[in-house]
Amino acid sequence: METEVKGTLEDIMDDKDFALIFARDGSIKGIFIPEGDDEANVPGMIIEILKLAGIDIHEAENPTIH
């Protein structure tokens, strides 16, 4: 499995991919949810990662969703 991929997000991501967005300091800034999906469709593994970072997208007042 390749661990480093270079290019633009449009080149790297498929139409149905989710992505976590990190700030320069490594903190999670938000989540990208593909068009046509919503918070209810976020895969469980991503929810678990967000919870480890102290983020619950279902309870946050202003979650950062792109």
Side-chain angles (χ1 to χ4, degrees):
M1 181 172 143
E2 191 172 334
T3 58
E4 182 177 335
V5 179
K6 294 184 179 182
T8 66
L9 283 177
E10 291 82 18
D11 293 339
I12 296 168
M13 293 182 63
D14 291 326
D15 291 342
K16 292 294 182 180
D17 285 345
F18 290 79
L20 294 176
I21 302 164
F22 293 90
R24 183 162 292 289
D25 67 2
S27 62
I28 297 176
K29 283 179 73 170
I31 181 172
F32 173 82
I33 296 176
E35 190 172 327
D37 282 314
D38 60 24
E39 295 89 351
N41 300 108
V42 176
M45 182 59 71
I46 294 175
I47 298 293
E48 292 302 315
I49 292 169
L50 291 171
K51 284 182 181 177
L52 288 172
I55 300 168
D56 184 339
I57 64 171
H58 301 292
E59 291 183 8
E61 284 186 28
N62 297 307
T64 304
I65 299 173
H66 300 273

